[in-house]
Structures are given as C-alpha cells and as structure tokens.
Amino acid sequence: MAAGDELLPAGENLGEAFRSEEYWNSFFVKRGDKPFEWYSSWPFLRPLLRAALGAAEGAPQPYTTRLLVVGCGNSDLSAQLYDDGFENVTNVDFSKVCIADMLRKNLRLRPRMKWLVMDATAMKFDAASFDAVLDKGALDALMGEEGEEGERQGAALLAECARCAAGGVVAVVSLLQDHVLRLLLRTFRAGWALSIEQVPASPDMFTSPLQPFLVLARAAASAAATHPPVQLRTLPGVGVNAAQARDVRRLVESENAARGGGPVSSPPPPPPPPRPPAASPPLTGKMVEVFPPHNACAEVLAVGI
Ligand SMILES: C[S@@+](CC[C@H](N)C(=O)[O-])C[C@H]1O[C@@H](n2cnc3c(N)ncnc32)[C@H](O)[C@@H]1O
C-alpha cells in the first residue's frame, strides 16, 4: 500500500465519497495536525494570487480585500495569505473536524481570520459580502468524476461563489478535467471576464500529467462586455501535461468561437516564480498529494515512491 492510501476512499464510489462530509471528517481525523496541500504551494501560488486579488507590492497592509476561502481544508494557504497581508479572510468547510483543528491552530496567531463550518454549496452570506472568493480543490472534490450529482453540486458551488463575490473576483485552482472546465466556462460566460493560467509546477507535482490551473473570473465592468474572449496561458514545460494543456486549449478555443470568434489571447507572461525557500517543508517525498481524477488514486499516489 502506498503511503497515504489510507486517506483515500476505497471502493467504487470515489466521487460520492469526495462529496461526503463523513468522508472528509474521517480524512481529517486520520490526517491529524499535518496540513494536506492538495495542489501546488505558496511560492508558486503567491504571485498569481496577489495579482488576482489586487495586492500591489508596497501597498499598505493589511489589505482591505474581503476574502472568502471555500472548502479550506487544513491547507496552509489561508494562513499564508493572512501573513502576506490579507487579514480579512473567512474560511468555510463542511468538515467540523477540519474547522475545529484550524481554529485551534490559528486563533491566537491569526486572530482576525474566521473559520466557519458551512456547506459551500448553500452559504449563509449575503450577496456581494466578499471582494474575492478563492477555491483550491473543493470544486474538483465535488466533481471528481463526471456525472449528474457532481455537476449539480459543482454548479451550486460556483453559483454561490459568484453570488458572494458579485462585482468582484472568483479564483479557482483546479486540475481542470474537461467536465470541470466546461462548467467553469458556462458559469462565467455572461457578465464575467475569464482568464485561465497554468500554475508553475511545485516539486510535489513535477511528474503529474494533470497540473493545476488558476481560473480567474472578474465581474465585467459593463453589461456591454458580457462575452470577452477567454484568455489562456499554458506553460511551456517538459510535456508532462501536454495532453491536459491540449484539452484545455481545445475547450477554450471552442468557447471563444461561441463567444463570437475571439482568438485565444494570452495575457503578458508573469514574473518567473520564486524558488521555494530552502527551509520550506518538503511534502513527504513519499507521496504525490494530488487530487486523483478518474478513480486513479492508487496509481497517482504511487508516482514518486
Ligand atoms: C480537495 S480538498 C481541498 C482542501 C484545501 N482547499 C487544499 O487546497 O488543500 C476539498 C475540501 O473541500 C471540502 N468540501 C467538500 N465539499 C464541501 C462542501 N459542500 N462544503 C464545504 N466544504 C466542502 C472538504 O472538506 C475538503 O476540505
């Protein structure tokens, strides 16, 4: 058995398990205090997220951005955002175990950060309560496999993100399986400007054929700008995710054709990602902690062992 197998659901109903509160509660009990970062890590996400959330270098801190993180899990990302100046962060997850752990870990160190047990597909916030909503991995968990129930819950999650961030920004970090990307493209068609960019691979994901992408939906400034072409940037790389990059491009091209024939345009390249600090804790090295698509958990987890 590969390290970490015990954390993943056994049997056929993988998709169902990843949508169940019971599964996640037991996942966080088994995982204990150790953060589980589903994809990527702070040095790679930081430049993209800071740009997405509108934090200019040198701007006075703490930033005023009201940020909601959905399906926060026990990832370090919210704490890293907080320590980087985004103190107005609200986190939700439907796992009581996870939220209790995160409250215990962060209450004293990061007193302004809020942690709430809440179903992210039916949130109790007023519309436009946040300037930005961030998801890393929750949409992929709800839509791990293609199917009606995943589609329904994924659509509910995105509708809630869009409602809570009305007039603002929705940022989703996802492995962009085809059915997930199709839902994102549909949801953020009217009234949103959409850009998609590949996140540079962190060491835990060098060999993964599915790399994370940041999908950024910004509320359009005017009703006239309802269907701007989707911007896409994939990274030249060693080709480990060549098939994924080709699929993403194909779907974006057909979306842009439907939006009126706009080309797939690319935003200017970002600054090169910083090297991870030497002291940053390596992910176990035994386990490639990626969200396993298509029932391939054992296979994916075995990579790198
Ligand atoms: C793949 S993990 C991602 C965790 C974390 N965001 C990260 O990047 O490491 C999915 C998370 O979404 C949470 N989740 C799944 N469905 C949810 C729902 N309907 N409402 C709230 N949280 C949910 C799970 O409890 C889990 O913490």
Side-chain angles (χ1 to χ4, degrees):
M1 181 186 273
D5 273 3
E6 70 283 359
L7 292 173
L8 293 167
E12 303 262 302
N13 289 332
L14 189 74
E16 209 175 296
F18 279 128
R19 284 188 290 274
S20 105
E21 200 181 312
E22 200 182 22
Y23 164 73
W24 285 106
N25 276 330
S26 102
F27 175 97
F28 290 115
V29 167
K30 287 182 194 156
R31 183 66 176 177
D33 264 352
K34 205 168 153 219
F36 194 107
E37 209 62 64
W38 280 78
Y39 354 103
S40 198
S41 58
W42 181 238
F44 302 91
L45 286 169
R46 182 178 185 265
L48 302 182
L49 290 181
R50 285 182 62 85
L53 303 176
E57 286 304 337
Q61 293 190 13
Y63 308 122
T64 53
T65 313
R66 297 166 303 163
L67 175 62
L68 171 66
V69 179
V70 294
C72 57
N74 72 356
S75 155
D76 278 335
L77 183 59
S78 298
Q80 288 157 332
L81 283 160
Y82 188 102
D83 296 346
D84 208 45
F86 293 93
E87 291 191 1
N88 194 343
V89 182
T90 301
N91 300 280
V92 302
D93 200 290
F94 69 176
S95 163
K96 294 182 187 67
V97 176
C98 155
I99 292 295
D101 286 351
M102 295 306 269
L103 252 176
R104 189 167 35 76
K105 266 193 190 170
N106 288 285
L107 196 57
R108 283 178 48 197
L109 290 173
R110 301 177 181 90
R112 289 192 64 208
M113 189 143 68
K114 299 185 192 76
W115 300 92
L116 303 170
V117 177
M118 199 182 282
D119 179 354
T121 65
M123 293 192 277
K124 296 177 171 43
F125 303 114
D126 290 338
S129 298
F130 297 92
D131 303 305
V133 177
L134 171 62
D135 165 43
K136 178 162 79 72
L139 180 65
D140 285 355
L142 295 177
M143 301 186 73
E145 291 175 331
E146 195 166 3
E148 247 174 56
E149 187 53 19
E151 193 78 21
R152 190 185 71 72
Q153 292 202 26
L157 174 69
L158 290 183
E160 279 295 80
C161 294
R163 185 182 67 79
C164 291
V169 169
V170 176
V172 177
V173 180
S174 163
L175 297 183
L176 287 190
Q177 295 181 79
D178 280 8
H179 62 288
V180 176
L181 177 54
R182 279 197 298 268
L183 177 64
L184 283 158
L185 292 170
R186 262 201 321 276
T187 305
F188 295 109
R189 195 167 279 156
W192 297 85
L194 203 54
S195 68
I196 301 177
E197 83 184 270
Q198 191 178 336
V199 179
S202 51
D204 57 315
M205 297 207 63
F206 276 157
T207 55
S208 171
L210 293 185
Q211 296 290 324
F213 281 73
L214 173 66
V215 176
L216 195 64
R218 281 184 195 285
S222 75
T226 44
H227 292 92
V230 178
Q231 296 200 320
L232 171 68
R233 184 175 53 245
T234 52
L235 294 172
V238 288
V240 64
N241 78 324
Q244 178 199 28
R246 196 183 51 236
D247 288 349
V248 169
R249 178 161 287 272
R250 177 178 48 77
L251 286 179
V252 170
E253 276 170 357
S254 91
E255 173 71 15
N256 281 349
R259 286 176 182 224
V264 175
S265 56
S266 298
R275 295 181 72 78
S280 72
L283 287 172
T284 66
K286 282 272 178 208
M287 185 159 83
V288 178
E289 291 175 340
V290 299
F291 186 79
H294 302 314
N295 258 345
C297 51
E299 202 182 307
V300 173
L301 283 169
V303 175
I305 289 176

